[in-house]
């Protein structure tokens, strides 16, 4: 349905963010707005008097290329409650001239901190306005200095957390901006939203799962890409990854990565250059000694792949996948070309903001979120040795990030059992968040929902061969999840396979729903029609030596407080 344009004059609504609507009888003047979108004016939008919302600006953006004309509105939402004091979240909402009564919220990346920090499926971002979606995103309740990875906003002073900003970042801002901007959109169009979706990757993927767990009524469908669903445990994982290559003898220059990839492909039987299931591989880095790697380099690469445990022997986070190092973003690619200049220093690569992406993320987050001390020496004082973290440190991490974790499948019960839909995807060569973490989570969901068949009625996971963190890689890294989700929600057409492409190689192939693996039928390997997704296939459940090393098939506990609550056999497809 195309939107109905607001009737000229005198229809403004005063609607509370809490859901109480009262006719205000205001008369709007169009003299301050453009002729193209007569109601695209900060003064007019301010007259809507939406509780907690302040309109900062409104700009009529002309149609260009594939983008339609739209009203670009910037504003703030005064956040409150939800376990913390008052805060403020900036937002941007784009209101297209032709509206299909659909609302779409894009997630943000990293520590967020800017309305320009959008992290979602790039294909969906490019298409949304042209499909008639109202599009929203937020800074998540704080400003992040783009010149440093340090979340300085997290602390009022050393030892004193900025609780409103933290809770906004964890979950409050997205929810309260969602509620407020839904009201703004419906008031602007003088019509109801028919379907609302959330689309995010990385931190945005975590936000999607969080929304489903905490506020299941906010969205009819969720898209969660490469979700960092457990940011706390992930910190230990990224520190392990980065520290593997700090010793001078362990450093692996980028120039060696193509040779390593070739050996991995040969070991994994990836004749087409694409590993469908890295967990099934049996590549041994020591096999490249001495021709390609030194013993120290091989040991470091093996350590990079290892699962992380606490000192009590409990799994904390899976290790990293094998292969596609040269194309998918191994340790940030550019950064790994520079070895650590001070291996024993607090900042091994020379200073804050220097070094591999994994190091910068883990170092800054432990100092600010966990230890709450900007000068804390993570390299030397953090109690993590090898692939083991002290049980006390793991407990402290979970204590201080538990509100940010979206990894408990029990929280999604209401969302799933209300018939709402979720598409998850994860790059199988993700260098920032192990793809096996999403598989752990999805297996736990399958146990809870009594098997994959029942779970797939509402939630489907698509693993993306060769793709790095949210993008990159030589595999099929471009695909449309928004149209797939909308078809599922509105027409009941569930996605059995999503065709993906690579703009560089022009390769296409289907992404199959987990635990199915794309099956080669014959013909050109770089054409989607040469592949198929076979119902009932479970090959992505198979693991080899590399999967065992990474903990790909490790037992995943449901919930932090009840380790095995609700466990079911994920292979029990026919259970009622």
């Amino acid at each position: 349905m195309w939107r109905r344009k607001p009737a000229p004059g005198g229809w403004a609504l005063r609607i509370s963010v809490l859901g109480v609507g009262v006719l205000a009888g205001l008369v709007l003047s169009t003299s301050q707005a453009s002729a193209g979108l007569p109601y695209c004016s900060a003064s007019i939008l301010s007259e809507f008097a939406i509780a907690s919302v302040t309109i900062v600006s409104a700009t009529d953006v002309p149609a260009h290329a594939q983008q339609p004309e739209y009203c670009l509105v910037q504003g703030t939402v005064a956040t409150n409650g939800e376990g913390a004091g008052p805060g403020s979240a900036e937002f941007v909402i784009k209101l297209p001239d032709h509206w299909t009564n659909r609302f779409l919220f894009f997630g943000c990346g990293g520590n967020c901190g800017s309305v320009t920090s959008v992290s979602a499926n790039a294909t969906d971002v490019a298409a949304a306005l042209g499909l008639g979606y109202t599009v929203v995103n937020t800074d998540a309740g704080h400003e992040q200095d783009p010149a440093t990875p340090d979340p300085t906003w997290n602390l009022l002073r050393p030892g004193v957390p900025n609780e409103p900003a933290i809770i906004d970042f964890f979950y409050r801002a997205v929810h309260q901006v969602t509620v407020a901007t839904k009201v703004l959109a419906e008031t602007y169009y003088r019509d109801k939203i028919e379907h609302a979706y959330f689309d995010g990757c990385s931190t945005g993927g975590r936000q999607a799962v969080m929304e489903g767990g905490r506020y299941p009524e906010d969205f009819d469908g969720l898209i969660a890409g490469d979700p960092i669903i457990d940011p706390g445990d992930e910190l230990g994982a990224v520190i392990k990854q980065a520290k593997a290559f700090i010793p001078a003898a362990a450093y692996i220059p980028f120039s060696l990565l193509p040779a390593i990839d070739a050996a991995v492909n040969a070991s994994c039987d990836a004749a087409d250059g694409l590993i469908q299931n890295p967990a099934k591989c049996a590549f041994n880095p020591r096999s490249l000694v001495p021709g390609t790697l030194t013993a120290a380099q091989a040991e470091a690469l093996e350590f990079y792949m290892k699962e992380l445990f606490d000192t009590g022997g409990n799994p904390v986070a899976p290790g990293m996948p094998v292969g596609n190092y040269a194309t998918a973003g191994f340790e940030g690619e550019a950064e790994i070309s520079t070895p650590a200049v001070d291996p024993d220093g607090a900042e091994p690569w020379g200073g804050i903001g220097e070094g591999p992406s994994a190091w910068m993320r883990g170092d800054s987050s432990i100092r600010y979120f966990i230890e709450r001390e900007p000068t804390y020496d993570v390299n030397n004082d953090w109690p993590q040795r090898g692939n083991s973290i002290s049980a006390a440190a793991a407990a402290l991490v979970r204590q201080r990030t538990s509100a940010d974790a979206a990894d408990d499948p029990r929280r999604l019960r209401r969302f799933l059992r209300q018939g709402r839909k979720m598409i998850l995807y994860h790059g199988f060569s993700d260098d920032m968040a192990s793809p096996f973490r999403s598989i752990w989570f999805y297996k736990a969901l399958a146990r809870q929902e009594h098997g994959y068949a029942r779970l797939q009625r509402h939630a489907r996971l698509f693993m993306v061969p060769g793709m790095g963190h949210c993008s990159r890689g030589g595999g099929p890294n471009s695909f449309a999840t928004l149209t797939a989700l909308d078809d599922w929600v509105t027409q009941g057409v569930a996605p059995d396979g999503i065709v993906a492409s690579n703009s560089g190689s022009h390769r296409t192939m289907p992404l199959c729903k987990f635990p199915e693996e794309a099956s080669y039928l014959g013909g050109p390997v770089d054409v989607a029609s040469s592949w198929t997704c076979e119902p009932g296939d479970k090959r992505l459940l198979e693991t080899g030596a590399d999967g065992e090393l990474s903990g790909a098939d490790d037992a995943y506990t449901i919930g932090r407080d009840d380790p095995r609550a609700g466990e079911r056999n994920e292979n029990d497809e026919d259970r009622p």
Side-chain angles (χ1 to χ4, degrees):
M1 179 190 298
W2 297 109
R3 78 167 175 88
R4 288 175 255 165
K5 290 188 176 181
W11 56 263
L13 299 176
R14 180 180 181 84
I15 305 179
S16 165
V17 170
L18 296 178
V20 181
V22 182
L23 289 174
L26 300 177
V27 178
L28 304 184
S29 168
T30 63
S31 61
Q32 296 169 297
S34 72
L37 296 176
Y39 295 90
C40 186
S41 158
S43 60
I44 291 176
L45 296 174
S46 294
E47 290 184 26
F48 293 171
I50 299 172
S52 303
V53 173
T54 298
I55 303 297
V56 175
S57 66
T59 306
D60 185 340
V61 180
H64 175 70
Q66 302 301 313
Q67 298 295 321
E69 183 179 13
Y70 65 93
C71 182
L72 173 63
V73 182
Q74 292 183 285
T76 62
V77 171
T79 58
N80 63 86
E82 300 281 346
S88 179
E90 294 185 9
F91 70 85
V92 164
I93 182 169
K94 298 177 181 179
L95 301 153
D97 181 46
H98 294 289
W99 187 45
T100 53
N101 297 79
R102 283 165 171 76
F103 177 93
L104 178 63
F105 203 119
F106 284 132
C108 48
N111 288 323
C112 301
S114 169
V115 291
T116 63
S117 176
V118 175
S119 184
N121 184 315
T123 301
D124 299 343
V125 172
L129 281 173
L131 294 172
Y133 282 81
T134 284
V135 175
V136 180
N137 57 281
T138 180
D139 68 353
H142 62 271
E143 292 184 7
Q144 169 81 49
D145 183 353
T148 175
D150 282 357
T152 55
W153 51 269
N154 186 266
L155 297 177
L156 298 175
R157 58 183 181 277
V160 182
N162 184 354
E163 293 290 356
I166 293 171
I167 295 301
D168 274 339
F169 174 59
F170 284 179
Y171 56 84
R172 184 173 72 175
V174 167
H175 169 61
Q176 295 192 3
V177 170
T178 295
V179 174
T181 52
K182 278 184 175 180
V183 173
L184 176 58
E186 291 186 333
T187 308
Y188 178 83
Y189 291 121
R190 207 181 181 192
D191 204 353
K192 290 291 185 183
I193 294 168
E194 294 178 359
H195 300 289
Y197 307 128
F198 189 100
D199 191 337
C201 196
S202 190
T203 294
R206 189 265 300 166
Q207 291 171 326
V209 181
M210 180 73 78
E211 272 289 312
R214 281 188 175 270
Y215 313 104
E217 286 78 26
D218 278 0
F219 296 100
D220 304 302
L222 304 169
I223 299 167
D226 293 21
I228 302 178
I229 54 174
D230 188 357
D233 288 349
E234 188 74 16
L235 294 181
V238 294
I239 288 295
K240 176 190 71 71
Q241 291 163 222
K243 292 191 75 169
F245 307 105
I246 287 180
Y251 162 67
I252 298 177
F254 183 83
S255 60
L256 292 181
L257 298 185
I260 298 173
D261 282 342
V264 171
N265 288 346
S267 174
C268 296
D269 194 25
D272 61 345
L274 197 60
I275 302 170
Q276 294 293 327
N277 180 10
K280 194 177 178 181
C281 292
F283 167 69
N284 185 347
R286 299 175 191 272
S287 67
L288 297 183
V289 179
T292 302
L293 300 176
T294 66
Q297 289 171 327
E299 184 179 356
L301 187 56
E302 183 177 340
F303 178 64
Y304 173 82
M305 295 162 56
K306 281 185 177 181
E307 183 176 11
L308 178 68
F309 296 88
D310 67 22
T311 48
N314 302 302
V316 173
M320 300 306 289
V322 65
N324 298 294
Y325 298 129
T327 57
F330 179 69
E331 287 295 275
E333 287 189 14
E335 293 93 333
I336 201 63
S337 65
T338 303
V341 296
D342 185 12
D344 297 322
E347 294 296 333
W349 281 269
I352 293 172
E354 301 291 335
S357 302
W359 170 258
M360 289 189 288
R361 179 176 161 220
D363 175 52
S364 63
S365 295
I366 288 173
R367 286 187 287 112
Y368 280 85
F369 281 98
I370 310 304
E371 293 294 338
R372 297 174 177 171
E373 173 49 66
T375 62
Y376 183 80
D377 185 346
V378 176
N379 190 31
N380 294 295
D381 296 339
W382 181 244
Q384 183 172 333
R385 301 292 180 268
N387 65 325
S388 178
I389 182 173
S390 78
L396 178 65
V397 167
R398 288 170 177 167
Q399 174 192 337
R400 294 191 169 172
T401 63
S402 61
D404 194 23
D407 63 328
D408 187 341
R410 293 174 297 182
R411 292 183 177 178
L412 282 177
R413 282 174 174 162
R414 283 177 56 201
F415 179 88
L416 298 174
R417 293 170 192 185
Q418 288 173 1
R420 301 173 194 272
K421 310 300 181 187
M422 174 183 286
I423 290 176
L424 302 103
Y425 65 88
H426 206 127
F428 244 148
S429 296
D430 191 337
D431 65 304
M432 285 297 295
S434 174
F436 304 131
R437 192 65 175 84
S438 286
I439 291 175
W440 281 11
F441 179 63
Y442 195 72
K443 286 181 175 180
L445 279 173
R447 289 195 291 268
Q448 174 178 283
E449 299 303 308
H450 299 190
Y452 289 115
R454 293 188 60 155
L455 174 60
Q456 288 167 356
R457 297 174 190 173
H458 306 292
R460 298 191 172 193
L461 168 65
F462 297 85
M463 303 304 295
V464 189
M467 188 177 83
H469 191 60
C470 297
S471 63
R472 299 175 298 178
N477 55 23
S478 179
F479 44 93
T481 48
L482 180 58
T483 52
L485 180 66
D486 187 58
D487 288 346
W488 196 4
V489 169
T490 62
Q491 302 175 40
V493 180
D496 287 326
I498 299 176
V499 176
S501 64
N502 185 294
S503 59
S505 65
H506 304 292
R507 175 174 190 154
T508 61
M509 73 175 302
L511 307 178
C512 302
K513 64 182 184 296
F514 187 90
E516 296 169 16
E517 177 183 315
S519 297
Y520 179 56
L521 298 173
V525 295
D526 58 352
V527 177
S529 59
S530 299
W531 300 79
T532 189
C533 300
E534 298 180 353
D537 173 33
K538 298 178 182 178
R539 283 178 295 159
L540 287 186
L541 295 176
E542 298 175 1
T543 57
D546 290 338
E548 293 175 6
L549 183 69
S550 301
D553 196 33
D554 211 331
Y556 177 64
T557 56
I558 298 183
R560 300 173 181 274
D561 56 337
D562 188 0
R564 297 304 251 175
E567 183 174 353
R568 294 291 184 269
N569 181 359
E570 65 266 25
N571 296 314
D572 187 5
E573 300 287 357
D574 299 321
R575 185 168 180 163

